[in-house]
Amino acid sequence: MAVAAALGSLGAVALGTFVVSLLLRWLWDALVAVTRFRATCRQLNKFPTPPWRNWLLGHTGMGQSTEQGLQQVDTLVARYRHGCLWWGLPWLPVLRLFHPSTLRPLLSASAFVAPKEKTFYGFLKPWLGEGLLLSGGQRWARHRRLLTPAFHGDVLRNYLGIFNQSTRVLLAKWGAAAVAAGGGPVEMEVLQHLSLLTLDTLQKCIFSHESHCQERPSEYIQAILELSSLVVRRQLRPLLHPWWLYRLSSDGRRFARACATVHAFTADVVQRRRQALTRLGHQAWLDSHRGRSMDFIDLLLLTKDENGHTLSDEDVAAEADTFMFEGHDTTASGLAWLFYNLASHPEHQERCRQEVQKLLAGRDTADIEWEDLSQLPFTTMCIKESLRLHPPVTAVSRRCTEDIPLRDGRVIPKGVICLMSIYGTHHNPDLWPEPEVFNPLRFSPENSKGRSPSSFIPFSAGPRNCIGQSFAMAEMKVVVALTLSRFVLRRDTARPPPCRKPELILRAEDGIWLQLEPLVGVA
């Protein structure tokens, strides 16, 4: 009895000691965290802070993904020019940056020092896996090295035929609609049509698959469109941010079904190609492809790192899904706003048309060829100015793993979210006089001299810039050139200007509606 009582007493003492040690450890960790946060705040206090709600809510709810929200960015940029401090909550500081002086150190930092901030990007993980967009560290560096050759000019030139083909499908649809309307102008919401065009193009370039999605429904394409929509809906509903709650919701179940559809399609293509490569052997498989260009899946299956290791089937599928996601919405948004800007400025539109007509004069075919892309200087200026005025992606975020010093002596503290405002930088009057004016001549060779590369970043910049930017620019040039050779773009003056809506990409509240009028004498 006495021994048992003694053991019980010792056990109680041990338990008490353990609880006290846990409490002391928690208090010590809390003290360290508070000390670090106070040091961070001292560094952040050197950045200007716009007026907020109060000390508790900070700026919560003051930034919106609406036309008014973008106008608020214009106001912030006009007042603070280089950047400002935004408090989501008392413990959630965000640095909003919109000038090369504050952006350049982040953009030029390695992907290990300035990785992407994962709060929002995590919503895409079940869909895109560990592709370039979401991966980090050594995995990202390895994949970036392995994927870069797939976007070389010698590869991209083989896609020009696909760009031309898919664009002609779209123009034939618009031509048929114009005929049905009596041959006059026909009104269209162009972003929806251009999204199907870019999806059609990507499915051919990535998988060599012809879905005819511009002409009839495709389960795979509809799943991608639904996933994009669901990610935006979830972003706007904080209660659905926790994964366990999202899985139980109707949106979460729809998201899971759409992911299954996309993954099944991609996995089937990758597995069939891998089996063919294994069965035939490397050289025989290459011989079987002679006379036709390789698609994105082919290139990824063949690529090897410095140790001779290939990408796994899961890696290839993740990169293909990422390319489909990143490549369709952004290019479609860029094209839609380009069409809108050209419709709003008929003098620039006509100059582009004359440039295209001069290029195609006397040819047996009206296709745009690889060598033609460099022969459209004014059209290229219009594309760049439209990407400046209406960047498809309005901001990207980073969370640094170490302090980043700025030239003026200030420091971006380790662990703070940095919202790099592409829209704000592109509308900064210190960089772009009269930033709301559409002026393609900003990008003439003489006007571009001396301009900081960090002042124009529609594809981001630095080590984590968009790997597909040359692909996107080539596709945009082909689409706009062929469209202007067939149609005149006009704004419907009865409609108010579109209200911009930044989501995954820059959209418009009620769509981007234009009148398309067939050119006289063009078949």
Side-chain angles (χ1 to χ4, degrees):
M1 292 285 292
V3 171
L7 289 173
S9 177
L10 286 172
V13 170
L15 178 61
T17 302
F18 177 70
V19 170
V20 169
S21 66
L22 278 181
L23 181 61
L24 289 174
R25 177 59 187 267
W26 180 84
L27 288 172
W28 173 254
D29 289 345
L31 179 62
V32 170
V34 169
T35 302
R36 286 177 179 170
F37 186 68
R38 292 182 65 183
T40 296
C41 288
R42 283 195 295 271
Q43 293 175 318
L44 290 174
N45 286 338
K46 297 177 182 178
F47 293 87
T49 303
W52 57 9
R53 291 179 183 274
N54 52 55
W55 69 270
L56 179 61
L57 295 177
H59 297 96
T60 302
M62 294 179 66
Q64 300 176 339
S65 296
T66 60
E67 174 68 33
Q68 291 70 32
L70 289 179
Q71 291 175 6
Q72 179 193 61
V73 175
D74 292 332
T75 302
L76 290 175
V77 172
R79 181 170 180 181
Y80 300 107
R81 301 299 170 116
H82 291 244
C84 62
L85 178 61
W86 197 262
W87 287 92
L89 290 168
W91 58 88
L92 185 61
V94 177
L95 281 174
R96 301 179 67 167
L97 310 174
F98 22 75
H99 191 279
S101 64
T102 49
L103 290 171
R104 193 183 301 110
L106 286 171
L107 292 171
S108 60
S110 76
F112 300 95
V113 173
K116 291 188 175 181
E117 201 282 317
K118 296 181 179 179
T119 303
F120 165 69
Y121 291 109
F123 296 165
L124 297 165
K125 195 68 170 288
W127 172 13
L128 303 181
E130 291 283 348
L132 271 186
L133 179 66
L134 302 182
S135 60
Q138 293 294 341
R139 180 187 180 88
W140 174 86
R142 176 175 181 262
H143 281 221
R144 178 80 184 208
R145 287 196 305 273
L146 291 175
L147 265 66
T148 296
F151 294 93
H152 190 275
D154 290 339
V155 174
L156 297 183
R157 69 186 302 144
N158 294 322
Y159 295 148
L160 263 285
I162 293 173
F163 296 165
N164 280 278
Q165 178 192 7
S166 295
T167 304
R168 294 200 181 287
V169 173
L170 174 65
L171 300 182
K173 280 173 53 181
W174 286 353
V179 169
V186 59
E187 191 172 43
M188 293 282 184
E189 198 291 299
V190 295
L191 180 54
Q192 181 181 4
H193 288 260
L194 291 167
S195 291
L196 289 175
L197 161 66
T198 54
L199 284 165
D200 186 25
T201 296
L202 284 167
Q203 211 171 5
K204 294 170 184 172
C205 293
I206 296 173
F207 303 108
S208 295
H209 182 77
E210 176 65 84
S211 68
H212 302 283
C213 65
Q214 294 192 75
E215 302 156 284
R216 58 175 181 259
S218 159
E219 182 184 20
Y220 171 76
I221 296 301
Q222 291 305 312
I224 288 179
L225 293 171
E226 182 171 35
L227 286 169
S228 298
S229 173
L230 288 170
V231 168
V232 172
R233 281 162 58 95
R234 186 180 180 198
Q235 182 187 16
L236 299 175
R237 299 179 179 184
L239 287 178
L240 293 181
H241 286 191
W243 276 111
W244 67 273
L245 273 178
Y246 190 62
R247 290 192 187 99
L248 298 174
S249 69
S250 59
D251 274 11
R253 292 191 292 272
R254 287 172 57 200
F255 186 86
R257 286 194 297 270
C259 275
T261 298
V262 169
H263 292 162
F265 175 88
T266 307
D268 179 62
V269 174
V270 173
Q271 288 167 11
R272 282 191 287 106
R273 300 281 183 87
R274 179 76 76 184
Q275 289 167 3
L277 178 59
T278 303
R279 185 178 67 254
L280 295 173
H282 189 100
Q283 188 57 50
W285 193 82
L286 284 175
D287 292 340
S288 72
H289 279 66
R290 283 188 179 158
R292 68 178 181 87
S293 58
M294 293 190 187
D295 61 26
F296 189 66
I297 296 292
D298 293 332
L299 294 167
L300 294 195
L301 286 172
L302 290 173
T303 190
K304 293 182 180 180
D305 62 20
E306 57 274 13
N307 298 317
H309 298 146
T310 62
L311 293 170
S312 68
D313 287 1
E314 292 75 19
D315 291 339
V316 173
E319 298 301 353
D321 289 338
T322 297
F323 192 15
M324 282 295 297
F325 163 69
E326 287 201 276
H328 86 273
D329 254 2
T330 50
T331 306
S333 172
L335 282 166
W337 287 108
L338 171 62
F339 284 9
Y340 172 79
N341 286 317
L342 292 177
S344 302
H345 299 85
E347 72 282 7
H348 297 320
Q349 179 183 165
E350 185 56 33
R351 183 171 171 182
C352 289
R353 182 176 294 107
Q354 290 176 5
E355 188 174 66
V356 174
Q357 289 173 339
K358 181 180 178 181
L359 182 69
L360 298 177
R363 291 191 183 179
D364 294 332
T365 175
D367 279 1
I368 302 297
E369 300 173 357
W370 179 255
E371 292 73 17
D372 296 332
L373 300 182
S374 61
Q375 304 302 313
L376 297 167
F378 188 73
T379 302
T380 302
M381 284 187 257
C382 287
I383 293 173
K384 289 182 176 180
E385 175 65 352
S386 187
L387 291 174
R388 181 198 68 80
L389 192 59
H390 295 99
V393 177
T394 58
V396 292
S397 59
R398 298 285 188 268
R399 191 193 289 259
C400 298
T401 59
E402 59 185 56
D403 288 354
I404 302 292
L406 302 180
R407 285 188 176 182
D408 60 9
R410 292 182 295 179
V411 173
I412 296 176
K414 169 185 174 180
V416 171
I417 296 173
C418 296
L419 189 69
M420 298 190 290
S421 178
I422 297 173
Y423 174 88
T425 304
H426 288 185
H427 288 73
N428 193 322
D430 280 357
L431 308 172
W432 309 97
E434 297 182 290
E436 297 306 316
V437 174
F438 181 78
N439 177 16
L441 293 178
R442 297 180 199 271
F443 290 93
S444 67
E446 55 272 19
N447 289 333
S448 298
K449 287 179 181 177
R451 180 182 298 147
S452 168
S454 303
S455 62
F456 178 64
I457 49 173
F459 301 103
S460 189
R464 290 203 77 142
N465 68 343
C466 174
I467 195 172
Q469 60 184 289
S470 295
F471 181 101
M473 285 296 292
E475 183 175 12
M476 291 180 72
K477 289 180 184 181
V478 171
V479 175
V480 70
L482 292 182
T483 300
L484 294 182
S485 70
R486 290 279 304 275
F487 290 92
V488 176
L489 309 174
R490 303 189 194 281
R491 277 187 57 194
D492 183 353
T493 54
R495 285 182 178 271
C499 290
R500 298 164 298 175
K501 186 178 182 182
E503 293 181 340
L504 286 175
I505 57 162
L506 184 60
R507 298 180 178 274
E509 287 283 354
D510 299 310
I512 300 173
W513 290 84
L514 296 177
Q515 292 180 345
L516 308 166
E517 182 178 347
L519 280 172
V520 177
V522 177

